[in-house]
Amino acid sequence: WVLVGTQDQLLSRALNRGYAMSRFEWPVHFGLLNQDCHWIIDEVQLMGPGLWTTSQLDWMRRKRFGSLMPCRTTWMSATVGSAFLETTDRRRDGLADVSTLPAAFLEKDSNLEIRLGAIRAVTWFSPTRNGPSLPKQIAEDVGGKHQHGTLSLVVCNTVETAHEVFQALAEHHPKILLTSRFRRQDREQHEKRLLDFETGRQKQGGKPIPDDPGLICVSTQVVEAGVDISAHRLWSELPPWPSVIQRLGRLNRDGRDQDARAWFWTTPTEGRGKHERIGPYETADVARSKKLLDALCPRSTDGTFAQAIEQLTRMQTREVAAALQPKPTPMPRALDVHGLFSSEPDVHGGFTDISAFVRGSDPDADVAVFWREWPHDTPPRGDDLDGPDVDLCEECCPVAFYRLRDSLKARQAFAWLWNDETEEWERVRPDDLRPGMAVMLHREVGGYSAQVGWTGEKADILSVVPPAGRGRMLRDDARTETGHWSRLDVHLSDAREKAQDICDAIGLRDRDGQVDPLRKAVVEAAALHDLGKAHPQWQKALPAVSALPGGPWAKCPRVLAVDMTSNDGEIRNAVCALRSDAVALGEKRQKRGRAEFVRLRWAVGGRLSRVELDGLRSVNGVRWAGHIPFRPGLRH
């Protein structure tokens, strides 16, 4: 497998506190990511404390909590030094030395000479003191210098500045906005437009596309990594030096546009202390970057950019080295990670906050937000939660938790968090929001635009969202519902054989008459893992089990339920048309509020799709239709 993810999602899982997921699966992801893996850490200049965490986790896997199978790490960067590999723990255990990519490897790149020959003229953008606001002046300059058939790139240090520049650009300009504050589906649409334009330009040999207005992309740091584009014009807010190099790497990236130019602007710093921040960056880092850029600008017009960087490094070796070294930050020690093996709530009812090891004290630490709809003040409960399950990858928008907090306070609104134990959505007060949470908002709370992403504005409301559905259930037993009946003894025997196959595949074998204790533990655990299903209470809860001879059973079909008010004949025909092998189960009389109705149930081999369920719900006399989870009332 090749698994690609962000440091928030992967590092939190590697620390046994996976963000935006059920805590009951934390140890599963923790185990999978710390065994038999090769971690490749890219764009390390953007990681902050997460970089030191990767270094410490690598040490723990190799020396402290030695992994069963090798789990190694490769760090990739053209701009950051290797000081983060010299922690006290790594030095003590002889892991401070680093092996680097041999130069001969780079010489195999046939395009390297062309790329190294790229010219990137760099200068400062000087705003007018008494003119419009700085974002408006930047937008005017971009609009005036943008050339048809080319890409103009504007990179801002904060989402707020990017929004202001984007909104200030005239509407006749073809423009897109890229930030981290989008739902995946919307951000991918914007990225596709950018990459489609780049593909068209490449087909022209890197030259402007004829009869095309071109494209202006306004972005934040997200464009520094993972987006392979080659802009003709670049405007950038001044960031720390590693990010300067990364952003300039998106200008004339392919080396075929020798008229490329870049302008940098500085954020006013009046009244800021040396330890304060400019957006996500510390003022001192930005000040050091300004001195180096002052020295680079005149050199960038006399030759290639590679030559200019080489001269700058030779003339100001110490300053460049200092600018490239990662800052020391809090990092996990062995005792910290050992404590994270416990996934139970602490005495305050919360969980260990690992954000210091993932993003540090970053004020932009995120929560995941998604929008749903329901008719009353509070989300429905039980079977009234008939919306689709939450798809965190597609639906969620990352939002700085303090911005969501302030937005909810301003309109006296609430977020909702799924409680695994009570199986319902619980109200979360704004002050109780924490990084890593995945929370639901009612659609009318607003705050999101498909074009701009998270805005926090009440007027920005999504036109269509699904109804509220369930979160992850503690007492659901979804893996029991396989679509067929399977006896417990057969299932346990199958599991034992599969465990043996897996142990053989990874080299856990008995040798020379000696029993391998790990192999024995794995195989015996698999052979006994479902033994609790023999409990009479669990067996009685299985659908239609009383009609079956034999048992006890380990697996059962899925259950389709339809709440009807009339026309049961038409409903039964509709179900049979969708699943001819559906087996009718007993009817149940239900009461919800003052309403009484009959629930029809079927055992079905395959789960109905969203389209099929919508069609069934449209049948005359159907009040609700959907799959109901198997709830034996106790964990097996």
Side-chain angles (χ1 to χ4, degrees):
W1 286 71
V2 176
L3 175 64
V4 182
T6 63
Q7 72 185 73
D8 297 69
Q9 296 298 332
L10 291 183
L11 288 185
S12 64
R13 282 160 171 74
L15 290 169
N16 216 359
R17 288 295 182 275
Y19 284 174
M21 64 177 291
S22 167
R23 67 181 173 96
F24 307 111
E25 291 190 355
W26 283 349
V28 178
H29 291 206
F30 172 76
L32 290 171
L33 291 175
N34 287 297
Q35 293 282 346
D36 199 18
C37 294
H38 186 168
W39 282 73
I40 299 177
I41 315 297
D42 195 14
E43 308 295 356
V44 299
Q45 77 284 348
L46 300 177
M47 293 186 67
L51 179 58
W52 296 88
T53 297
T54 62
S55 175
Q56 284 293 94
L57 285 174
D58 176 71
W59 161 71
M60 289 182 215
R61 297 181 196 114
R62 295 168 67 181
K63 297 293 184 179
R64 182 61 178 83
F65 301 122
S67 58
L68 178 65
M69 305 293 287
C71 193
R72 301 299 173 89
T73 310
T74 298
W75 292 269
M76 297 175 61
S77 177
T79 57
V80 171
S82 59
F84 66 93
L85 293 172
E86 300 175 6
T87 67
T88 301
D89 295 320
R90 295 182 68 92
R91 284 198 305 270
R92 184 188 61 243
D93 287 330
L95 297 180
D97 294 335
V98 56
S99 59
T100 57
L101 191 70
F105 183 87
L106 295 175
E107 294 170 1
K108 298 178 182 179
D109 186 348
S110 59
N111 294 318
L112 183 61
E113 187 174 349
I114 297 175
R115 290 174 179 264
L116 290 177
I119 293 175
R120 302 181 180 100
V122 185
T123 188
W124 287 102
F125 172 77
S126 300
T128 305
R129 280 188 172 274
N130 298 320
S133 67
L134 182 56
K136 288 184 178 179
Q137 291 190 50
I138 294 165
E140 290 175 0
D141 198 54
V142 172
K145 293 176 179 174
H146 172 71
Q147 296 185 8
H148 279 229
T150 69
L151 172 66
S152 293
L153 180 62
V154 186
V155 189
C156 306
N157 289 347
T158 65
V159 174
E160 291 69 34
T161 303
H163 278 183
E164 292 177 18
V165 173
F166 181 80
Q167 301 286 18
L169 281 168
E171 289 302 321
H172 67 270
H173 288 305
K175 59 181 183 176
I176 59 170
L177 178 67
L178 278 182
T179 74
S180 61
R181 306 306 188 212
F182 278 99
R183 297 184 302 173
R184 176 178 175 178
Q185 54 190 314
D186 299 324
R187 178 171 167 177
E188 284 183 346
Q189 287 183 359
H190 293 219
E191 286 183 349
K192 184 178 185 302
R193 186 177 174 191
L194 174 62
L195 295 176
D196 284 349
F197 178 83
E198 179 65 15
T199 299
R201 196 188 66 84
Q202 291 293 339
K203 290 180 179 178
Q204 297 294 322
K207 296 179 181 179
I209 303 175
D211 303 319
D212 190 290
L215 185 63
I216 299 174
C217 175
V218 181
S219 181
T220 56
Q221 302 94 314
V222 298
V223 82
E224 293 180 25
V227 184
D228 192 4
I229 55 175
S230 187
H232 177 62
R233 295 285 184 259
L234 169 70
W235 286 259
S236 173
E237 189 172 1
L238 181 64
W241 187 244
S243 288
V244 169
I245 302 301
Q246 293 291 333
R247 295 181 189 186
L248 286 171
R250 270 63 191 167
L251 178 71
N252 189 18
R253 186 173 179 83
D254 55 16
R256 297 186 290 184
D257 179 9
Q258 303 298 50
D259 187 36
R261 294 200 60 186
W263 293 266
F264 281 80
W265 79 85
T266 57
T267 304
T269 58
E270 293 83 357
R272 296 178 187 266
K274 66 178 181 178
H275 297 299
E276 293 189 35
R277 302 169 74 88
I278 299 177
Y281 306 122
E282 292 186 7
T283 303
D285 293 337
V286 177
R288 176 183 283 130
S289 180
K290 184 178 186 307
K291 293 179 181 178
L292 291 174
L293 196 61
D294 282 336
L296 177 66
C297 286
R299 291 184 172 91
S300 68
T301 58
D302 295 337
T304 68
F305 184 73
Q307 291 169 341
I309 290 293
E310 183 181 356
Q311 292 173 12
L312 179 66
T313 303
R314 188 171 60 250
M315 299 298 294
Q316 301 191 39
T317 304
R318 296 178 66 179
E319 291 83 351
V320 171
L324 295 180
Q325 288 300 334
K327 288 182 173 298
T329 64
M331 67 183 76
R333 305 297 296 273
L335 186 64
D336 299 313
V337 173
H338 189 269
L340 294 171
F341 274 73
S342 171
S343 56
E344 292 301 303
D346 59 26
V347 294
H348 300 291
F351 298 96
T352 313
D353 184 1
I354 59 160
S355 59
F357 302 142
V358 177
R359 287 269 180 200
S361 56
D362 182 359
D364 289 331
D366 293 341
V367 294
V369 179
F370 62 95
W371 289 261
R372 290 297 181 96
E373 211 164 22
W374 59 88
H376 305 295
D377 292 339
T378 60
R381 300 180 180 183
D383 294 335
D384 287 338
L385 279 168
D386 57 350
D389 293 341
V390 177
D391 187 336
L392 294 177
C393 291
E394 293 294 333
E395 292 187 63
C396 283
C397 171
V399 179
F401 83 95
Y402 76 97
R403 293 200 177 278
L404 177 61
R405 177 196 65 200
D406 295 346
S407 178
L408 294 177
K409 281 185 175 180
R411 67 195 63 164
Q412 297 182 326
F414 297 95
W416 300 87
L417 183 70
W418 182 256
N419 185 318
D420 298 279
E421 299 184 2
T422 62
E423 300 177 0
E424 62 186 19
W425 292 100
E426 288 187 345
R427 181 178 291 175
V428 181
R429 295 178 300 177
D431 287 331
D432 291 335
L433 291 167
R434 295 292 182 270
M437 283 183 172
V439 297
M440 178 173 70
L441 300 183
H442 194 283
R443 185 181 77 92
E444 293 181 0
V445 171
Y448 186 86
S449 160
Q451 289 71 42
V452 184
W454 169 261
T455 64
E457 298 296 329
K458 186 175 182 180
D460 293 322
I461 298 177
L462 288 164
S463 56
V464 178
V465 299
R470 299 175 183 274
R472 173 64 186 268
M473 297 292 192
L474 171 61
R475 296 184 181 87
D476 282 2
D477 221 334
R479 290 176 180 167
T480 294
E481 302 171 280
T482 58
H484 64 274
W485 291 98
S486 175
R487 270 183 18 193
L488 180 57
D489 57 343
V490 175
H491 173 61
L492 294 179
S493 177
D494 290 344
R496 183 186 186 95
E497 290 180 9
K498 287 296 181 184
Q500 290 173 336
D501 292 343
I502 292 172
C503 288
D504 290 341
I506 64 174
L508 283 180
R509 297 185 178 92
D510 298 336
R511 290 183 174 86
D512 302 325
Q514 298 294 317
V515 175
D516 186 305
L518 284 173
R519 177 189 179 90
K520 182 178 180 181
V522 170
V523 173
E524 292 302 319
L528 298 172
H529 77 284
D530 265 353
L531 193 63
K533 289 182 177 179
H535 195 288
Q537 182 180 340
W538 199 92
Q539 288 292 313
K540 288 179 181 178
L542 289 168
V545 72
S546 60
L548 283 172
W553 302 97
K555 302 292 179 183
C556 67
R558 295 179 175 87
V559 177
L560 171 68
V562 177
D563 296 343
M564 72 167 193
T565 55
S566 61
N567 294 323
D568 65 316
E570 184 177 346
I571 295 171
R572 293 179 192 276
N573 291 336
V575 171
C576 289
L578 292 171
R579 292 290 185 274
S580 59
D581 60 347
V583 178
L585 305 177
E587 300 179 0
K588 287 188 175 182
R589 301 201 70 84
Q590 302 279 111
K591 186 174 182 180
R592 193 171 301 151
R594 295 183 178 179
E596 292 188 5
F597 52 89
V598 174
R599 168 162 289 180
L600 305 177
R601 298 182 304 146
W602 289 264
V604 294
R607 182 179 291 275
L608 272 66
S609 69
R610 178 71 178 170
V611 174
E612 289 174 322
L613 285 175
D614 286 342
L616 189 56
R617 289 167 184 166
S618 67
V619 174
N620 187 32
V622 173
R623 186 177 189 276
W624 175 86
H627 289 284
I628 56 175
F630 169 55
R631 293 179 181 168
L634 79 165
R635 297 292 293 169
H636 66 268

